[in-house]
Every structure is written in structure tokens, then in C-alpha cells.
Amino acid sequence: MAHPIRRSNAARGVAAGTVALLAAAVLPAGTASASSDTAKSRTRPAQHVIMFDFDGFDPRFLDGRYADLAELPNIRALIENGAHGVADGSYSSYSNSSRTTTATGAYPAVHRNTGYYYNHETGRGVSQERYIEPGVETIAQSLKRQDRTSAYLQWYAVQNYGATYGDPAALYTQPGGNCETRADQAIALLRGEPVNSGGTMVDPAAIPDLITVYCDDVDGVLHDGGFSDPELPAALARVDAQIGRVRDAAREAGILDRTAFLVTADHGAREWTVPLLPEVLDRLSGTGLTVQVISSSGGVPDPASEIVIVASPRTADITLSGRADTPQNARRIARIIKGIPGIAAVRDQRDLRRMSASDKLGDLVVEPVEPYHLSTLADGAPRASHGALPEARVPMVLSGAGIRRDVPLRNVGLVDVAATISALLGVQPPATSQGHVMRGAVERS
Ligand SMILES: [Zn+2]
């Protein structure tokens, strides 16, 4: 099925329960099979899944414009022996919202974790948030409900949404440091050693069924210096190397042939140097309406402001307020902004609904083309950011137990990750998951 941010599909995102039931109906009956190893391998393609979620890992690091920056031997080895493709993220492509899509298997229209917008309820600008709509289930909650164990190493999307500090069945940890520190904990878990979870040493009784490792090394460098930052090759090599270290530890633990690996990201990145916000503000001043740019970190608009803008490099979220809040004004403003050279898109309410974006976004979301940006920072230094549609594309690599070899993945998305991990482990996906098992990748059992 087409993903809504790639192709318009109004039917998606309406009947979450129905979709989850359909997905569950084609899964093997998993939980009845805890007896022998042969029974397990028939009903459960993998006993363990280890996921690496690399913040900002643009698919072009593997294929295309930036593929020469680092060799990435460990990811490439997984690709050679597994399934690989470029997957859709979700909209808008900010980390917390996108990672919540991965964690729930639901679109932002359902989980409602939203980035860089004006929050009507609090009356403040928001950069990012830890939020999941009540009733929307995460993979951490779903696995725990089905008696499967898991550990989330700095994979914050499930913190206090199924995973907590000190819970050996659904462990959350925040080791800090760089990707190596996070991988150290994965290796400790594979060796049966205790790990620090919020200040307490926790010793899970066995190797968790699911281990997720979150690393933001690459995203941090991209934000600071863009794709030409001299530190980028080392950051790429470092995150890649951790896959090899963890894989070696899985081999030493004797579980490699029963372990599936998944490597993905929350979003890619685009570069920006040339400010476009002054031009947008100049054109909007011609409307006769009062325009105000508020800070994304808690900015409060003046009560008289009629056009409230939360500006970031890759998106400007526009909320109409008071007497200005009419469909006619939204159309007029969209038309004005679309006429500015350097604007890629102005997404209105209908576009946003079609993409299954969060309803907490404003009336319009504006995106620039590279190298323009819509933030207030205008020093011309090369940086990269995300949030818009072009960077809602991520690598998707599956390899190991239960995964077919040499298979191209097509039409898959972050929304499919929770359902696919669940299928590999032989359990049902999160109750509100809208995604599908990546059938092309998973061996039939
Ligand atoms: Zn980022």
C-alpha cells in the first residue's frame, strides 16, 4: 500500500483498529510456541531483534551524493545479506515525531507527537515534545503486554510509554556519550551483564528479545556543519562500527543465527545557508495583517498578532489567529508565499491531512528549497537540518534471522517498523499500529 507522504491516499489513517487487525490476522500464531527450538524457528523467524536507529542518517550516505564520505562496511555487510531500501519517514520530519512513528507504527495524525508548531492549548511555541496521544500503544507496551522482554538504549521515544528506568522487562537507559557508549550497553546485555538504568544497575534475567540502540552522532555533526563538516566521516564510521561490535557480541553470546538486525533513521538532512524569512515577512506585511515570529522554545505571541510563525530552518509553521483565521486568508497567504523564489511548498490543511500529519500543526507549513532557510539565524554558515518532506526519507536495512537475502525493499516506511519487529518476534503489532509487515523482507515461516 502506498505511504501517504509519498502518494495521496485519503483512506489511510482512518481505521487504525481495522488495519491492526488485518496485520494480526496474517501473523503466525506466536505465543503458543515456547516449547522446542524447532517449533520456535517455525513459528518465530527470530528470537531476538537488534535495531540501530541513527538520528539524521540520510539515505544518501549509502547510495548517491554522499556515499563517498565513509565506507560503512558493517551496514553494507548487512545489506549484502539482507533486505534494503529507502523508506518513508513521517511528516513533519522532526526527530521526536518521526521516532514516535517508529515506536507506535502509527502516523503523526494518530500519535500526535508534533514538532515546531504553535500550541493553542498552552499558547506557546514548541520545538519538540515527549508526547503520545492517550490510547496509542508503543512497541514497548505491546511487547510487555505479550510477555516479551526489551531494552531501549537511549531510544527515548518509549521512555515512560512502556519502558522505564529499572524495569528489567522493558528497560530504558540513558547512557549518554556517543554511539560507542550506547553500544557498550548492548554488548553488556548480550554478555548477561548488568547495565546502568537511571542510576541503578539492572540485570535482566536473559538477553532481551528486542534491543534498540539510539545514536545521534551523525545528526549532531550535520546540524553544526552540514554535509561538508570535517567531523562527519568519523561520525559515520563510528556509528557503523558499533553495528560490527554488537554483531560480534551476539555471535559470542551464541544467538547470532537467531537474531535479526534492523538499521534505520528518523530522517535525513538538507543544507541551508541563505535566509528567506525576511522575504516571507516582507511579502506578508502587504496583507495588512499583523505578523509575528515567535520562538519555538516557548515563545508567546502578542494577543494582537494575526499571523503567528514558528520559524525553523526547514519549515515555517503558520497559524492564523483572531479575525484573520479564515480559509480565505489561508488561501491568500499560501498564494503570496508560493510566489517567492526559493519556496518549495506551502502545505495547507488538506495537504497535511493527506500526509497523515499531526492536526497540531498550523494552518500552513512552508518549506524552502536548498540552500534557503526559514530560521531567524542568518550568519551564512553551512549547516544542515530537517523537518520538511524531502528529508522524510531514511535507509531501511534488515538482515539476519528470518530475513530474506538480497531483497530490495519498496514502498516501506517507518510506520512499518513496529509491525515488522513484532512479526519477526512472533507477536502481534502494537494495538493501534497502522503499518504493515515488510513482507518482502521477512521469510515465510
Ligand atoms: Zn536533528
Side-chain angles (χ1 to χ4, degrees):
M1 189 178 291
H3 281 252
I5 68 166
R6 185 179 303 172
R7 234 175 300 163
S8 108
N9 186 342
R12 290 284 295 217
V14 283
T18 317
V19 176
L21 279 176
L22 284 173
V26 292
L27 285 174
T31 42
S33 68
S35 51
S36 75
D37 274 342
T38 40
K40 272 180 198 164
S41 67
R42 236 180 281 124
T43 53
R44 190 166 18 148
Q47 279 184 345
H48 302 276
V49 175
I50 300 177
M51 173 165 87
F52 294 88
D53 184 353
F54 295 149
D55 202 313
F57 199 101
D58 196 286
R60 296 170 298 171
F61 291 133
L62 284 166
D63 190 13
R65 191 168 173 185
Y66 302 110
D68 291 336
L69 283 175
E71 286 181 16
L72 307 172
N74 292 289
I75 300 181
R76 293 195 190 284
L78 292 182
I79 289 171
E80 250 167 60
N81 294 302
H84 160 241
V86 177
D88 289 327
S90 61
Y91 194 84
S92 42
S93 57
Y94 291 107
S95 291
N96 292 14
S97 179
S98 304
R99 190 154 288 108
T100 302
T101 300
T102 307
T104 59
Y107 287 102
V110 171
H111 64 63
R112 299 185 80 225
N113 184 303
T114 313
Y116 290 84
Y117 72 105
Y118 171 66
N119 186 320
H120 288 272
E121 279 162 32
T122 61
R124 288 175 180 275
V126 175
S127 55
Q128 296 204 73
E129 59 193 10
R130 294 283 191 97
Y131 177 85
I132 300 178
E133 186 73 2
V136 175
E137 193 174 48
T138 67
I139 182 96
Q141 291 162 332
S142 162
L143 289 179
K144 196 172 181 186
R145 176 168 60 75
Q146 298 175 81
D147 296 322
R148 296 303 163 93
T149 55
S150 51
Y152 307 91
L153 313 182
Q154 202 115 10
W155 203 62
Y156 57 84
V158 295
Q159 186 190 12
N160 300 328
Y161 290 95
T164 48
Y165 285 135
D167 180 355
L171 190 65
Y172 180 69
T173 73
Q174 207 158 287
N178 63 23
C179 197
E180 211 172 301
T181 321
R182 325 273 166 95
D184 285 346
Q185 281 203 333
I187 292 165
L189 289 171
L190 290 165
R191 289 178 178 160
E193 295 167 2
V195 292
N196 188 327
S197 169
T200 314
M201 294 308 284
V202 178
D203 190 358
I207 296 171
D209 298 324
L210 171 66
I211 298 175
T212 68
V213 181
Y214 168 73
C215 297
D216 51 356
D217 308 40
V218 172
D219 190 65
V221 175
L222 285 169
H223 279 292
D224 287 349
F227 286 91
S228 54
D229 190 301
E231 288 178 29
L232 186 55
L236 289 164
R238 183 167 59 242
V239 301
D240 178 74
Q242 305 321 310
I243 295 172
R245 292 181 65 219
V246 171
R247 202 165 177 276
D248 288 347
R251 185 184 294 113
E252 279 158 31
I255 62 160
L256 188 60
D257 60 341
R258 290 170 282 150
T259 301
F261 292 86
L262 193 158
V263 183
T264 191
D266 47 357
H267 52 71
R270 291 295 181 277
E271 288 197 305
W272 53 280
T273 46
V274 186
L276 204 53
L277 187 63
E279 178 70 18
V280 171
L281 296 178
D282 187 53
R283 301 273 185 116
L284 288 179
S285 69
T287 60
L289 298 167
T290 318
V291 187
Q292 187 182 4
V293 178
I294 61 163
S295 160
S296 58
S297 44
V300 179
D302 192 283
S305 295
E306 294 168 305
I307 302 177
V308 176
I309 302 180
V310 176
S312 72
R314 293 288 301 158
T315 64
D317 180 276
I318 297 183
T319 299
L320 303 179
S321 168
R323 72 176 172 95
D325 185 11
T326 67
Q328 291 81 357
N329 272 333
R331 279 196 296 274
R332 181 162 66 115
I333 290 163
R335 211 165 37 237
I336 290 169
I337 297 175
K338 271 179 195 163
I340 301 172
I343 293 295
V346 181
R347 308 198 186 280
D348 62 16
Q349 284 292 310
R350 210 177 52 166
D351 299 330
L352 295 171
R353 270 201 305 276
R354 199 184 290 141
M355 293 194 288
S356 287
S358 168
D359 63 339
K360 287 150 75 178
L361 290 172
D363 296 283
L364 300 168
V365 181
V366 182
E367 299 179 9
V369 297
E370 270 181 317
Y372 294 102
H373 72 90
L374 296 164
S375 79
T376 52
L377 190 64
D379 62 3
R383 295 186 184 85
S385 289
H386 47 90
L389 188 60
E391 54 271 30
R393 304 274 285 155
V394 297
M396 185 64 67
V397 178
L398 288 114
S399 192
I403 305 297
R404 293 169 64 192
R405 283 166 165 254
D406 208 17
V407 173
L409 283 175
R410 292 197 183 88
N411 200 23
V412 296
L414 287 183
V415 78
D416 301 320
V417 168
T420 303
I421 291 173
S422 301
L424 286 165
L425 293 175
V427 298
Q428 300 207 343
T432 41
S433 166
Q434 299 172 287
H436 297 265
V437 178
M438 296 180 220
R439 288 260 152 239
V442 178
E443 276 173 359
R444 300 188 192 276
S445 47

